[in-house]
Amino acid sequence: MSLYLDYLAEIESRKNDLGLAPKPIDSAELLSEIIAQIKDTGNEYREDSLKFFIYNTLPGTTSAAGVKAKFLKEIILGESVLAEITPEFAFELLSHMKGGPSIEVLLDLALSDDTALSVPASDVLKTQVFLYDADTTRLLEAYKAGNAVAKDLLESYAKAEFFTKLPDIEEKIEVVTYIAGEGDISTDLLSPGNQAHSRADRELHGKCMISPEAQDEIQALQAKHPNAKVMLIAEKGTMGVGSSRMSGVNNVALWAGKQASPYVPFINIAPVVAGTNGISPIFLTTVDVTGGIGLDLKNWVKKVDANGNTVVDENGDAVLEEAYSVATGTVLTIDTKAKQLLNGDKVLVDVSSAFTPQKVEFMKAGGSYAVTFGKKLQTFAAEALGIEIPNVYAPSKEISHEGQGLTAVEKIFNNNAVGVASDSPLHAGSDVRVRVNIVGSQDTTGPMTCQELEAMAASTISPLVDGAYQSGCHTASVWDSKAQANIPKLMSFMNKFGLITARDPKGVYHSMTDVIHKVLNDITVDDRAIIIGGDSHTRMSKGVAFGADSGTVAIALATGESAMPIPESVKVTFKGKMQGHMDFRDVVHATQAQMLKQFGGENVFQGRIIEVHIGTLLADQAFTFTDWSAEMKAKASICISNDETLIKSIELAKSRIQIMIDKGMENEAKTLNGLLALADKRIEEVKSGSNPALSPDDNAKYYAEVVIDLDVIDQPMIADPDVNNEDASKRYTHDVIRPVSYYDGKSVDLGFVGSCMVHKGDMQIIAQMLRNIEKQNGKVEFKAPLVVAPPTYNIVDELKAEGDWDILRKYSGFEFDDAHPKDAARTKYENIMYLERPGCNLCMGNQEKAEPGDTVIATSTRLFQGRVVADTAEKKGESLLGSTPVVVLSTVLGRFPTIEEYKAAVVGIDLTRFAPPVEAMTTKFVGKAVPVKRV
């Protein structure tokens, strides 16, 4: 049977079983067969083949795009003649193919001696921005050889006509509201984790957004208001919390955006999303990628009494009152010039933050990628012509306050700034391009990153990137048919692109399912590094890391750069003494609780950098804090360590990198060896005093300063989804932090220790607790299931070598076996301990889940509705979050422990200890910090 007939069978299956359109074509072999049928004028499949060729072939660097570009060139040259595709139409189709093979064809034609071909080819090239080194080198050589078309192209690029000739955004945009949910909206609502396998199939994945009923309601609004865009709203909450998924915005755009190109299926852009408390920082980045609009509505405000004091309820929370209604079906107008949201002639709220000069450029260009590549292309052309770069784009926003020191994040941005005009240090609010040092791609968004790289015609990793890693942790739990279909292809693509990959496409080294954040934390060997990772928990305890969408990961891999504003910072310090029965996880939870109390319920962390003065806590352990900062709604977090601790953390990272090399994971570019050299260089700088550990200046300016009192933390602290709160907007927020005594006697159905919030010490705590219980009772019995997933294989190996794995194995009823991995997810659990494969496990919710309606106590970060545990008709599932000893003891008891039981259980156990640094973690300001001007 031919590939085409196989494709027809797949089309029929998708249509009948799923109600879907034909899958877009990315295969060269299939498209070659389709082209042969087009050339055969009598072929029975010719008409449909033409439609597939024109409207259903993926652009960029897919193998199909190469075949399509070659055939279009044949048509333009007259070697193939089709009534349906004229040479003029062939040029139009090439203009929608973005880059790679299409640019090669256009350059062939533009640089030819035939003006009938070179002029139209040049006209199309003037609209393109996705040119890479091979393309620009070719153009430069032609220019130097005296080619007039090459000179004309360079002059057009220098003027950035590919941008300036685009239409400006509309001054008035009509929207009709749709309340997608009340309270914070997790991207799980827009792109459920349990549907991760389908993300690369955009139409299929789009079907899982919110609910079928919601999709029908959105379509009904569109039919009723054909001239308005549907604006999805998080009422009394923040839109897009908890994850950086591009698939969430893709789904919103699919239902409420516009088609990017008539010749590329299911790629929609320019959605409008909003929230009472705006859009989460990581989600807003994905909105920018698509040229969309993200509004901070402020439509619910704190109620005040006659004296101007905030009115509070019986729980001490501020009472909110509605400033204006955005009920579903309300027609509003966005005035993009005045930067206001209107209802008729009435101004509802200022929305200036959504229409900065940079964001308006993204909207005009159809997304941030086009602006990033456009700037690079303009810079290249101006340099080639030997002229000053014309001022076309909004200049980088460079803010400098004389006499004001720098925070830690300001120092990192200054150190990595690209193309900075100022000679003065840059402060928060500046908007600049920065070099990205480390990049991470994870396995459930990785297939989308591959698509983005193909779409922007990238074929190899940027040499500016020090190291990049492709994980296998989100699909570690179950090696099912979906994982077997997606993951090998992903690893092969990324390995070829230049990343270190968890799985070896050649099958030589053992597959690693280590949690991506732990690996990125290990391969980050510089506390001044900038890290971009395709997951919201990309929050390293060295350098500053930003959780990003699959597209931003792609652009960082392709260019080694990212553009972003320097965020404001909140300083976190500690006082007092940590009590012996407390774990550092309790300090992390208490930080959020004490912060909210100190600032009257205002989350001062939201959208900002948390600069935590951690002092002597090693990077592995400090990661517990930085990881949780995602749930604090912070943009990122930075750990300030002393010199000795930083050196120890880098030495530990070196040992882990060496293990990766020993296992055979090094690539042809010797990336891992390069990281070892960078680590040695950084250690020497710290030891010599030439460049000590990163610290802020003593007169740096912070948005707020939070002091955490360790003395008052006397009970384990639990983060509670508060599933039965009468106010739906206060459920699943991570803001409800309660002491363990609140839950006295509450039954527990399942416990989970694992994912990125634990380290080797947590595994050792489990072993110590099992020994204690065995000594006290003669044996260990579990009254509720306990799932244990170590974060990395290194930890498992170390536990085996040191003997702790023996006690874990003794009391486990299941131990992972890489030779025979599970091929199906569990639906039921026994009252035993499960020793699972390293990876994300229950935290992801895409493979393993608790039984519906369970009360789960976990060390993970995810308490979102339906993520770890689904609801039943009778009972809402609860994912409460706590420390490792609380989880273990709760499963042994089958309920939450009393504080007395807890204290007795941890006597003599070495919990994760922390003591505030005794010295000031700052540098004396000398006014000489100057940005590095990278090129």
Side-chain angles (χ1 to χ4, degrees):
M1 185 178 282
S2 72
L3 291 174
Y4 184 76
L5 293 180
D6 289 343
Y7 185 50
L8 291 186
E10 181 194 65
I11 289 171
E12 198 64 20
S13 172
R14 284 171 68 85
K15 180 182 177 181
N16 294 335
D17 299 342
L18 303 169
L20 300 175
K23 196 171 184 178
I25 296 167
D26 61 2
S27 161
E29 292 78 10
L30 173 57
L31 196 67
S32 295
E33 197 170 317
I34 286 171
I35 290 170
Q37 291 171 175
I38 291 172
K39 289 180 176 180
D40 178 5
T41 55
N43 192 285
E44 63 177 310
Y45 301 117
R46 186 173 184 277
E47 185 177 347
D48 283 342
S49 294
L50 273 165
K51 291 176 183 175
F52 292 141
F53 177 83
I54 295 169
Y55 298 106
N56 210 46
T57 303
L58 290 178
T61 53
T62 63
S63 62
V67 173
K68 183 171 183 176
K70 182 181 177 183
F71 184 44
L72 291 172
K73 183 180 181 183
E74 287 181 19
I75 292 171
I76 290 168
L77 292 173
E79 296 169 0
S80 292
V81 178
L82 299 181
E84 298 88 351
I85 304 178
T86 63
E88 292 76 17
F89 187 29
F91 274 119
E92 182 181 351
L93 290 173
L94 283 169
S95 75
H96 286 259
M97 291 182 64
K98 284 197 170 183
S102 61
I103 297 296
E104 183 181 354
V105 165
L106 287 166
L107 282 170
D108 287 345
L109 299 170
L111 301 178
S112 72
D113 296 329
D114 188 343
T115 55
L117 299 177
S118 63
V119 171
S122 174
D123 288 342
V124 174
L125 276 169
K126 288 176 182 178
T127 68
Q128 304 296 297
V129 294
F130 292 101
L131 275 69
Y132 286 85
D133 287 348
D135 307 314
T136 53
T137 299
R138 188 176 173 192
L139 194 56
L140 183 60
E141 289 173 352
Y143 166 66
K144 289 178 177 178
N147 187 291
V149 171
K151 181 174 184 289
D152 182 50
L153 278 169
L154 287 173
E155 288 172 346
S156 176
Y157 289 155
K159 297 173 188 174
E161 289 181 339
F162 44 73
F163 176 74
T164 59
K165 291 191 174 183
L166 294 172
D168 290 332
I169 67 171
E170 298 173 68
E171 283 192 20
K172 300 285 177 69
I173 299 173
E174 195 171 272
V175 296
V176 56
T177 62
Y178 181 78
I179 294 179
E182 188 175 349
D184 290 349
I185 290 184
S186 159
T187 40
D188 257 15
L189 185 72
L190 309 175
S191 168
N194 61 6
Q195 298 298 315
H197 64 277
S198 68
R199 287 177 187 157
D201 187 343
R202 288 200 180 195
E203 187 194 12
L204 174 59
H205 194 67
K207 298 287 187 182
C208 73
M209 188 185 84
I210 310 180
S211 68
E213 294 76 18
Q215 294 161 17
D216 290 341
E217 290 164 0
I218 290 169
Q219 288 182 307
L221 284 172
Q222 290 169 331
K224 187 176 180 181
H225 305 279
N227 297 320
K229 285 191 168 189
V230 176
M231 177 169 72
L232 266 65
I233 296 172
E235 176 75 322
K236 298 174 75 174
T238 303
M239 173 64 80
V241 300
S243 182
S244 49
R245 256 176 255 149
M246 186 74 208
S247 52
V249 167
N250 286 345
N251 282 352
V252 175
L254 199 62
W255 289 103
K258 66 179 181 181
Q259 191 174 9
S261 164
Y263 309 115
V264 183
F266 308 116
I267 306 293
N268 284 19
I269 59 172
V272 183
V273 292
T276 290
N277 300 322
I279 317 296
S280 75
I282 48 179
F283 197 66
L284 192 54
T285 301
T286 65
V287 175
D288 291 341
V289 166
T290 61
I293 299 172
L295 300 183
D296 187 356
L297 297 177
K298 302 182 180 72
N299 60 309
W300 286 86
V301 297
K302 291 179 181 178
K303 185 177 182 178
V304 296
D305 59 22
N307 298 319
N309 299 316
T310 301
V311 178
V312 297
D313 60 21
E314 62 273 13
N315 297 319
D317 296 326
V319 174
L320 301 179
E321 59 183 358
E322 192 175 47
Y324 61 92
S325 173
V326 290
T328 293
T330 305
V331 177
L332 304 172
T333 302
I334 302 172
D335 186 326
T336 64
K337 191 171 184 180
K339 302 177 183 178
Q340 295 171 332
L341 182 64
L342 311 172
N343 189 336
D345 296 329
K346 182 182 178 183
V347 178
L348 300 178
V349 68
D350 177 88
V351 291
S352 299
S353 62
F355 294 96
T356 64
Q358 288 78 17
K359 289 182 183 293
V360 169
E361 287 178 345
F362 298 158
M363 296 170 200
K364 177 175 177 174
S368 59
Y369 298 167
V371 172
T372 299
F373 276 86
K375 287 179 178 179
K376 288 173 73 74
L377 185 56
Q378 186 194 25
T379 300
F380 155 76
E383 289 176 352
L385 295 170
I387 63 173
E388 288 289 320
I389 301 174
N391 292 324
V392 171
Y393 292 101
S396 293
K397 192 176 180 182
E398 298 180 12
I399 296 173
S400 184
H401 303 292
E402 188 175 353
Q404 179 180 309
L406 298 173
T407 64
V409 73
E410 287 169 342
K411 286 189 176 182
I412 292 175
F413 269 69
N414 276 274
N415 187 63
N416 291 284
V418 177
V420 175
S422 172
D423 286 327
S424 301
L426 303 178
H427 288 95
S430 300
D431 199 322
V432 294
R433 287 157 56 207
V434 290
R435 180 191 166 190
V436 177
N437 309 93
I438 302 292
V439 185
S441 169
Q442 55 99 329
D443 42 325
T444 54
T445 59
M448 295 168 59
T449 299
C450 296
Q451 287 182 337
E452 300 284 353
L453 288 167
E454 287 177 329
M456 63 178 71
S459 58
T460 188
I461 192 170
S462 167
L464 294 176
V465 177
D466 292 330
Y469 179 72
Q470 171 61 59
S471 84
C473 57
H474 288 65
T475 52
S477 303
V478 184
W479 192 234
D480 58 14
S481 58
K482 295 169 185 174
Q484 291 173 39
N486 292 331
I487 303 306
K489 287 193 298 185
L490 168 65
M491 295 295 168
S492 178
F493 181 99
M494 289 302 196
N495 194 279
K496 195 178 299 181
F497 197 83
L499 282 74
I500 302 297
T501 52
R503 288 180 179 273
D504 183 3
K506 301 180 184 69
V508 176
Y509 60 79
H510 184 277
S511 296
M512 304 280 281
T513 55
D514 294 356
V515 175
I516 180 172
H517 321 300
K518 294 294 187 182
V519 179
L520 294 183
N521 209 34
D522 286 340
I523 68 173
T524 300
V525 294
D526 190 347
D527 50 334
R528 303 156 304 175
I530 291 179
I531 305 102
I532 296 289
D535 191 288
S536 59
H537 291 104
T538 307
R539 292 167 184 255
M540 307 303 96
S541 44
K542 300 185 291 289
V544 64
F546 298 95
D549 60 279
S550 52
T552 302
V553 169
I555 204 135
L557 288 171
T559 68
E561 292 183 14
S562 186
M564 64 182 91
I566 304 178
E568 294 177 303
S569 296
V570 175
K571 183 178 180 180
V572 174
T573 56
F574 303 89
K575 68 177 183 179
K577 183 179 181 181
M578 194 172 164
Q579 299 189 40
H581 60 283
M582 291 290 93
D583 184 80
F584 185 62
R585 178 66 183 259
D586 302 314
V587 174
V588 173
H589 284 183
T591 297
Q592 185 152 340
Q594 290 190 28
M595 175 274 294
L596 290 169
K597 187 174 181 180
Q598 287 176 37
F599 291 89
E602 178 192 355
N603 184 356
V604 297
F605 293 150
Q606 184 165 346
R608 300 183 178 92
I609 303 290
I610 301 176
E611 184 183 291
V612 55
H613 289 233
I614 213 85
T616 58
L617 206 58
L618 284 173
D620 263 21
Q621 299 166 344
F623 184 75
T624 303
F625 188 101
T626 55
D627 198 14
W628 181 258
S629 66
E631 316 318 333
M632 297 176 184
K633 300 182 187 176
K635 192 171 181 68
S637 181
I638 290 179
C639 286
I640 307 300
S641 301
N642 61 26
D643 287 354
E644 182 182 356
T645 301
L646 176 62
I647 290 171
K648 287 180 180 177
S649 292
I650 297 176
E651 291 285 8
L652 179 61
K654 280 183 59 182
S655 69
R656 301 267 173 81
I657 294 169
Q658 187 60 54
I659 289 170
M660 294 171 76
I661 294 172
D662 294 344
K663 288 183 175 179
M665 298 178 74
E666 181 63 291
N667 59 14
E668 290 182 10
K670 300 295 181 184
T671 296
L672 296 174
N673 278 281
L675 290 170
L676 289 179
L678 288 172
D680 287 334
K681 178 175 180 288
R682 184 68 188 114
I683 289 171
E684 179 54 36
E685 289 174 346
V686 178
K687 284 182 175 178
S688 68
S690 63
N691 194 359
L694 175 74
S695 59
D697 289 327
D698 53 6
N699 65 337
K701 184 178 180 181
Y702 297 93
Y703 176 83
E705 297 191 28
V706 180
V707 180
I708 303 305
D709 188 351
L710 300 178
D711 287 335
V712 302
I713 309 171
D714 61 356
Q715 289 193 46
M717 306 298 286
I718 308 297
D720 192 332
D722 210 16
V723 298
N724 296 311
N725 194 312
E726 291 182 3
D727 185 345
S729 69
K730 294 180 180 177
R731 302 172 194 160
Y732 310 104
T733 66
H734 288 90
D735 288 345
V736 178
I737 309 290
R738 293 175 170 138
V740 73
S741 58
Y742 178 90
Y743 305 92
D744 191 359
K746 181 180 175 70
S747 63
V748 166
D749 299 307
L750 183 141
F752 171 51
V753 176
S755 197
C756 50
M757 285 294 283
V758 297
H759 53 87
K760 179 182 175 183
D762 290 274
M763 300 297 114
Q764 293 170 319
I765 288 169
I766 301 172
Q768 288 174 295
M769 291 188 74
L770 293 176
R771 290 189 186 100
N772 282 2
I773 295 168
E774 181 182 62
K775 186 175 181 181
Q776 293 164 9
N777 303 332
K779 60 180 179 178
V780 180
E781 290 184 337
F782 292 93
K783 293 184 179 177
L786 174 61
V787 178
V788 177
T792 68
Y793 278 92
N794 286 344
I795 288 173
V796 174
D797 292 342
E798 290 166 16
L799 293 172
K800 287 179 178 178
E802 295 162 9
D804 283 328
W805 194 259
D806 292 337
I807 189 74
L808 297 176
R809 177 182 284 146
K810 177 179 179 180
Y811 284 108
S812 68
F814 170 88
E815 182 180 359
F816 75 91
D817 178 2
D818 281 333
H820 302 93
K822 285 183 298 181
D823 59 6
R826 277 193 193 88
T827 56
K828 297 287 183 182
Y829 293 83
E830 299 175 51
N831 290 342
I832 58 174
M833 181 168 67
Y834 296 84
L835 285 182
E836 293 286 357
R837 201 179 196 180
C840 300
N841 204 275
L842 285 162
C843 189
M844 256 304 289
N846 64 318
Q847 293 188 321
E848 298 279 64
K849 293 176 84 75
E851 293 184 41
D854 272 1
T855 293
V856 180
I857 175 68
T859 61
S860 76
T861 55
R862 297 314 201 190
L863 50 65
F864 305 123
Q865 186 173 17
R867 181 65 174 263
V868 172
V869 55
D871 298 337
T872 66
E874 298 77 28
K875 183 180 180 296
K876 289 180 177 292
E878 295 180 274
S879 176
L880 297 109
L881 309 178
S883 67
T884 293
V886 168
V887 174
V888 175
L889 187 55
S890 296
T891 57
V892 171
L893 298 172
R895 57 172 171 78
F896 275 88
T898 65
I899 185 61
E900 292 76 19
E901 288 172 322
Y902 171 81
K903 285 182 178 180
V906 298
V907 168
I909 291 182
D910 185 19
L911 301 176
T912 309
R913 308 296 298 140
F914 168 67
V918 294
E919 73 279 10
M921 307 291 292
T922 57
T923 304
K924 186 168 179 60
F925 176 67
V926 293
K928 292 183 179 178
V930 176
V932 175
K933 293 185 182 180
R934 298 184 183 273
V935 293

